[in-house]
Amino acid sequence: MLLAIDCGNTNTVFSIWDGEKFLFSLRTSTEYQRTADQYFVWWDTLTRHHGLVRPEITGVVISSTVPRVVFNLRVFTDRYFGIRPLVVGKPECLLPVGVRVDAGTQVGPDRLVNTVAGYDKYGGDLIIVDFGTATTFDVADKDGAYIGGVIAPGVNLSLEALHMAAAALPHVDITHPDHVIGTNTVACMQSGIFWGYVGLIKEISARIKQEHGRPMKVIGTGGLAPLFQSHAPVFDEFADELTMHGLVTIWAYNKEQGTV
Protein backbone atom coordinates (compact mmCIF):
# COMPACT_ATOMS: atom_id res chain seq x y z
CA MET A 1 0.00 0.00 0.00
CA LEU A 2 1.07 3.56 -0.71
CA LEU A 3 1.12 6.23 2.00
CA ALA A 4 0.52 9.70 0.53
CA ILE A 5 1.30 12.65 2.80
CA ASP A 6 0.17 16.19 2.02
CA CYS A 7 1.75 18.68 4.43
CA GLY A 8 0.20 22.14 4.22
CA ASN A 9 0.78 25.27 6.26
CA THR A 10 -2.15 24.47 8.57
CA ASN A 11 -2.85 20.72 8.37
CA THR A 12 -1.06 17.54 7.33
CA VAL A 13 -3.08 14.73 5.75
CA PHE A 14 -2.03 11.06 5.58
CA SER A 15 -3.95 8.85 3.11
CA ILE A 16 -3.55 5.14 2.37
CA TRP A 17 -3.93 4.06 -1.26
CA ASP A 18 -4.48 0.33 -1.80
CA GLY A 19 -3.88 0.41 -5.54
CA GLU A 20 -7.51 1.12 -6.47
CA LYS A 21 -8.88 3.54 -3.90
CA PHE A 22 -8.08 5.52 -0.76
CA LEU A 23 -8.96 3.49 2.31
CA PHE A 24 -9.14 6.53 4.60
CA SER A 25 -7.40 9.80 5.43
CA LEU A 26 -5.96 11.01 8.74
CA ARG A 27 -5.52 14.70 9.51
CA THR A 28 -3.31 16.44 12.05
CA SER A 29 -2.07 19.97 12.61
CA THR A 30 1.23 20.85 10.94
CA GLU A 31 3.95 21.28 13.56
CA TYR A 32 7.62 21.10 12.67
CA GLN A 33 8.48 20.17 16.28
CA ARG A 34 6.58 16.88 16.05
CA THR A 35 9.07 14.00 16.18
CA ALA A 36 9.08 10.79 14.18
CA ASP A 37 8.07 8.84 17.29
CA GLN A 38 5.14 11.17 17.94
CA TYR A 39 3.99 10.71 14.34
CA PHE A 40 4.09 6.95 14.82
CA VAL A 41 2.08 6.93 18.07
CA TRP A 42 -0.59 9.07 16.42
CA TRP A 43 -0.50 6.98 13.21
CA ASP A 44 -0.61 3.59 14.95
CA THR A 45 -3.53 4.62 17.18
CA LEU A 46 -5.71 5.90 14.35
CA THR A 47 -4.96 3.15 11.83
CA ARG A 48 -5.95 0.60 14.47
CA HIS A 49 -9.16 2.57 15.00
CA HIS A 50 -9.86 2.14 11.27
CA GLY A 51 -9.28 -1.62 11.51
CA LEU A 52 -5.72 -1.79 10.18
CA VAL A 53 -3.04 -3.15 12.50
CA ARG A 54 0.39 -2.12 11.25
CA PRO A 55 -0.66 -1.81 7.57
CA GLU A 56 1.98 -2.97 5.12
CA ILE A 57 3.26 0.26 3.59
CA THR A 58 5.39 -0.37 0.50
CA GLY A 59 5.83 3.21 -0.70
CA VAL A 60 5.61 6.78 0.60
CA VAL A 61 5.20 10.02 -1.35
CA ILE A 62 5.26 13.46 0.31
CA SER A 63 4.27 16.97 -0.73
CA SER A 64 5.17 19.63 1.81
CA THR A 65 4.89 23.41 1.78
CA VAL A 66 6.71 23.46 5.14
CA PRO A 67 10.32 22.33 4.53
CA ARG A 68 11.13 21.97 8.24
CA VAL A 69 8.55 19.19 8.59
CA VAL A 70 10.05 16.96 5.90
CA PHE A 71 13.05 15.82 7.97
CA ASN A 72 10.94 14.24 10.73
CA LEU A 73 8.58 12.73 8.16
CA ARG A 74 11.60 11.14 6.46
CA VAL A 75 12.77 9.73 9.79
CA PHE A 76 9.24 8.46 10.52
CA THR A 77 8.94 6.55 7.25
CA ASP A 78 12.50 5.20 7.42
CA ARG A 79 12.31 4.13 11.06
CA TYR A 80 8.88 2.51 11.03
CA PHE A 81 8.41 1.37 7.41
CA GLY A 82 12.01 1.01 6.23
CA ILE A 83 11.23 3.28 3.27
CA ARG A 84 12.88 6.36 1.86
CA PRO A 85 10.00 8.60 0.74
CA LEU A 86 9.62 10.26 -2.65
CA VAL A 87 9.44 14.01 -1.96
CA VAL A 88 7.85 16.27 -4.57
CA GLY A 89 10.14 19.15 -5.45
CA LYS A 90 13.36 17.22 -4.89
CA PRO A 91 15.57 16.53 -7.95
CA GLU A 92 14.98 12.78 -7.76
CA CYS A 93 11.19 13.21 -8.01
CA LEU A 94 10.16 13.34 -11.67
CA LEU A 95 6.95 15.04 -12.82
CA PRO A 96 4.79 13.78 -15.70
CA VAL A 97 4.17 17.40 -16.78
CA GLY A 98 6.54 20.28 -17.45
CA VAL A 99 7.06 23.50 -15.50
CA ARG A 100 7.41 26.73 -17.46
CA VAL A 101 8.01 29.67 -15.12
CA ASP A 102 10.73 32.31 -14.65
CA ALA A 103 14.21 30.87 -14.20
CA GLY A 104 15.08 30.36 -10.55
CA THR A 105 11.45 30.37 -9.40
CA GLN A 106 10.55 27.74 -6.82
CA VAL A 107 6.97 26.53 -7.25
CA GLY A 108 5.16 25.18 -4.19
CA PRO A 109 4.98 21.37 -4.30
CA ASP A 110 1.24 21.46 -3.62
CA ARG A 111 0.69 23.56 -6.73
CA LEU A 112 2.69 21.16 -8.88
CA VAL A 113 0.80 18.18 -7.47
CA ASN A 114 -2.57 19.83 -8.16
CA THR A 115 -1.50 20.58 -11.73
CA VAL A 116 -0.48 16.95 -12.28
CA ALA A 117 -3.79 15.74 -10.86
CA GLY A 118 -5.84 18.25 -12.83
CA TYR A 119 -4.21 17.31 -16.13
CA ASP A 120 -4.60 13.60 -15.40
CA LYS A 121 -8.33 13.99 -14.66
CA TYR A 122 -9.43 16.76 -17.02
CA GLY A 123 -6.74 17.35 -19.64
CA GLY A 124 -5.04 20.68 -20.32
CA ASP A 125 -6.03 24.37 -20.31
CA LEU A 126 -7.07 24.44 -16.64
CA ILE A 127 -7.44 26.92 -13.81
CA ILE A 128 -7.22 25.06 -10.50
CA VAL A 129 -8.55 27.05 -7.53
CA ASP A 130 -7.40 25.61 -4.21
CA PHE A 131 -8.83 26.86 -0.91
CA GLY A 132 -6.09 26.42 1.66
CA THR A 133 -4.23 28.76 3.99
CA ALA A 134 -3.90 30.81 0.80
CA THR A 135 -6.35 30.77 -2.09
CA THR A 136 -4.28 29.78 -5.12
CA PHE A 137 -5.02 29.75 -8.83
CA ASP A 138 -2.80 27.34 -10.75
CA VAL A 139 -2.74 27.42 -14.56
CA ALA A 140 -2.06 24.32 -16.66
CA ASP A 141 -1.24 24.77 -20.35
CA LYS A 142 -2.73 22.58 -23.10
CA ASP A 143 0.02 19.98 -22.54
CA GLY A 144 -0.46 20.03 -18.77
CA ALA A 145 2.63 22.11 -18.01
CA TYR A 146 2.43 24.40 -15.01
CA ILE A 147 2.81 27.94 -16.38
CA GLY A 148 2.09 30.10 -13.32
CA GLY A 149 -0.84 31.36 -11.36
CA VAL A 150 -2.13 33.67 -8.66
CA ILE A 151 -1.83 33.67 -4.86
CA ALA A 152 -4.46 35.46 -2.75
CA PRO A 153 -5.08 35.43 1.02
CA GLY A 154 -7.07 32.43 2.20
CA VAL A 155 -10.65 32.82 3.39
CA ASN A 156 -9.95 31.97 7.03
CA LEU A 157 -6.80 34.07 6.96
CA SER A 158 -8.84 37.08 5.82
CA LEU A 159 -11.39 36.53 8.57
CA GLU A 160 -8.66 36.21 11.18
CA ALA A 161 -6.99 39.40 9.94
CA LEU A 162 -10.28 41.32 10.27
CA HIS A 163 -10.74 40.02 13.79
CA MET A 164 -7.16 40.76 14.85
CA ALA A 165 -6.83 44.21 13.26
CA ALA A 166 -10.22 45.67 14.15
CA ALA A 167 -10.98 45.53 17.87
CA ALA A 168 -14.74 45.82 17.41
CA LEU A 169 -15.04 42.99 14.90
CA PRO A 170 -15.65 39.46 16.24
CA HIS A 171 -14.34 36.18 14.93
CA VAL A 172 -16.97 34.65 12.62
CA ASP A 173 -17.37 31.45 10.64
CA ILE A 174 -17.59 31.53 6.87
CA THR A 175 -21.06 30.68 5.60
CA HIS A 176 -23.47 31.59 2.83
CA PRO A 177 -25.33 34.71 4.03
CA ASP A 178 -29.10 34.96 3.58
CA HIS A 179 -28.76 38.48 2.17
CA VAL A 180 -26.00 40.53 0.59
CA ILE A 181 -26.88 43.52 2.78
CA GLY A 182 -26.06 42.54 6.34
CA THR A 183 -28.21 43.94 9.15
CA ASN A 184 -25.73 43.17 11.94
CA THR A 185 -21.95 43.03 12.25
CA VAL A 186 -21.61 39.28 11.84
CA ALA A 187 -23.87 39.21 8.77
CA CYS A 188 -21.94 42.13 7.25
CA MET A 189 -18.63 40.30 7.69
CA GLN A 190 -19.97 37.02 6.34
CA SER A 191 -21.43 38.75 3.30
CA GLY A 192 -18.19 40.61 2.63
CA ILE A 193 -16.10 37.46 2.82
CA PHE A 194 -18.45 35.15 0.91
CA TRP A 195 -19.42 37.49 -1.94
CA GLY A 196 -15.98 39.05 -1.96
CA TYR A 197 -14.40 35.67 -2.70
CA VAL A 198 -17.06 34.83 -5.27
CA GLY A 199 -16.09 38.05 -7.04
CA LEU A 200 -12.40 37.30 -6.65
CA ILE A 201 -12.77 33.83 -8.18
CA LYS A 202 -14.88 35.04 -11.10
CA GLU A 203 -12.73 38.07 -11.92
CA ILE A 204 -9.34 36.38 -11.67
CA SER A 205 -10.56 33.36 -13.63
CA ALA A 206 -11.98 35.63 -16.35
CA ARG A 207 -8.72 37.58 -16.64
CA ILE A 208 -6.65 34.37 -16.79
CA LYS A 209 -8.89 33.05 -19.60
CA GLN A 210 -8.57 36.32 -21.50
CA GLU A 211 -4.79 36.33 -21.16
CA HIS A 212 -4.47 32.62 -21.98
CA GLY A 213 -6.46 33.05 -25.17
CA ARG A 214 -8.15 29.63 -25.18
CA PRO A 215 -11.22 28.09 -23.51
CA MET A 216 -10.36 26.83 -20.04
CA LYS A 217 -11.97 24.74 -17.34
CA VAL A 218 -12.06 26.06 -13.77
CA ILE A 219 -11.55 23.30 -11.18
CA GLY A 220 -12.28 23.90 -7.50
CA THR A 221 -10.66 21.97 -4.67
CA GLY A 222 -9.92 22.40 -0.96
CA GLY A 223 -12.08 22.56 2.13
CA LEU A 224 -14.30 25.54 1.31
CA ALA A 225 -14.77 24.88 -2.41
CA PRO A 226 -18.08 22.97 -1.91
CA LEU A 227 -19.57 25.91 0.02
CA PHE A 228 -18.95 28.32 -2.83
CA GLN A 229 -19.97 25.83 -5.51
CA SER A 230 -23.29 24.96 -3.86
CA HIS A 231 -24.46 28.55 -3.36
CA ALA A 232 -22.76 30.48 -6.17
CA PRO A 233 -21.44 28.08 -8.82
CA VAL A 234 -18.05 29.37 -9.87
CA PHE A 235 -16.35 26.13 -10.99
CA ASP A 236 -16.83 23.86 -13.98
CA GLU A 237 -15.83 20.90 -11.80
CA PHE A 238 -15.26 20.23 -8.12
CA ALA A 239 -12.48 17.74 -7.34
CA ASP A 240 -12.30 16.24 -3.87
CA GLU A 241 -8.89 14.88 -2.82
CA LEU A 242 -7.25 16.41 -5.90
CA THR A 243 -3.87 16.69 -4.17
CA MET A 244 -3.95 13.05 -3.08
CA HIS A 245 -4.81 11.99 -6.64
CA GLY A 246 -1.80 13.98 -7.83
CA LEU A 247 0.51 12.30 -5.32
CA VAL A 248 -0.60 8.85 -6.46
CA THR A 249 -0.13 9.88 -10.11
CA ILE A 250 3.38 11.19 -9.42
CA TRP A 251 4.29 8.00 -7.54
CA ALA A 252 3.05 5.82 -10.40
CA TYR A 253 4.99 7.89 -12.93
CA ASN A 254 8.22 7.60 -10.95
CA LYS A 255 7.68 3.87 -10.58
CA GLU A 256 7.36 3.58 -14.38
CA GLN A 257 10.56 5.60 -14.76
CA GLY A 258 12.39 3.37 -12.29
CA THR A 259 13.19 6.09 -9.75
CA VAL A 260 11.35 4.29 -6.90
Side-chain angles (χ1 to χ4, degrees):
M1 289 185 284
L2 174 67
L3 172 59
I5 303 175
D6 173 29
C7 177
N9 289 296
T10 304
N11 292 315
T12 300
V13 181
F14 293 63
S15 294
I16 296 180
W17 174 259
D18 69 355
E20 296 181 355
K21 64 183 182 301
F22 287 109
L23 300 181
F24 53 82
S25 294
L26 307 175
R27 185 179 297 267
T28 185
S29 58
T30 299
E31 297 177 6
Y32 71 87
Q33 303 97 330
R34 184 174 282 128
T35 67
D37 297 332
Q38 288 173 317
Y39 275 118
F40 178 72
V41 171
W42 170 84
W43 161 266
D44 192 52
T45 301
L46 290 182
T47 51
R48 288 174 184 272
H49 173 76
H50 284 277
L52 287 180
V53 179
R54 301 290 173 89
E56 185 179 353
I57 302 299
T58 57
V60 180
V61 57
I62 299 173
S63 168
S64 178
T65 59
V66 186
R68 297 177 73 181
V69 173
V70 175
F71 175 78
N72 283 331
L73 287 174
R74 282 184 182 273
V75 175
F76 162 66
T77 61
D78 179 62
R79 180 176 296 168
Y80 293 104
F81 306 134
I83 294 171
R84 180 177 176 82
L86 180 69
V87 181
V88 178
K90 298 296 184 182
E92 63 271 18
C93 179
L94 305 178
L95 297 178
V97 299
V99 179
R100 293 195 289 270
V101 294
D102 294 343
T105 300
Q106 287 191 329
V107 181
D110 55 328
R111 307 182 75 181
L112 296 175
V113 172
N114 282 348
T115 302
V116 169
Y119 183 64
D120 185 66
K121 288 173 69 71
Y122 305 106
D125 291 325
L126 299 178
I127 302 169
I128 302 168
V129 185
D130 188 2
F131 290 86
T133 304
T135 300
T136 58
F137 296 71
D138 298 317
V139 182
D141 210 348
K142 62 181 179 180
D143 61 351
Y146 177 86
I147 58 173
V150 176
I151 301 175
V155 176
N156 288 315
L157 192 62
S158 295
L159 280 170
E160 188 65 23
L162 273 176
H163 172 61
M164 295 294 291
L169 296 181
H171 179 80
V172 300
D173 293 326
I174 178 64
T175 187
H176 173 245
D178 294 329
H179 306 282
V180 176
I181 301 174
T183 55
N184 56 68
T185 301
V186 170
C188 288
M189 293 174 66
Q190 289 174 332
S191 181
I193 290 292
F194 183 86
W195 293 113
Y197 273 84
V198 168
L200 180 141
I201 295 163
K202 287 184 175 180
E203 181 67 15
I204 290 180
S205 296
R207 289 181 177 272
I208 289 174
K209 290 177 182 179
Q210 183 180 28
E211 190 170 291
H212 193 62
R214 288 194 299 270
M216 305 181 77
K217 275 189 176 181
V218 181
I219 313 300
T221 191
L224 289 173
L227 172 67
F228 287 94
Q229 185 68 354
S230 60
H231 294 288
V234 288
F235 309 121
D236 297 308
E237 301 279 352
F238 165 70
D240 193 21
E241 294 187 330
L242 187 68
T243 304
M244 287 302 171
H245 179 83
L247 286 172
V248 171
T249 303
I250 290 170
W251 171 266
Y253 179 75
N254 278 267
K255 193 169 184 179
E256 290 175 1
Q257 300 300 312
T259 58
V260 293

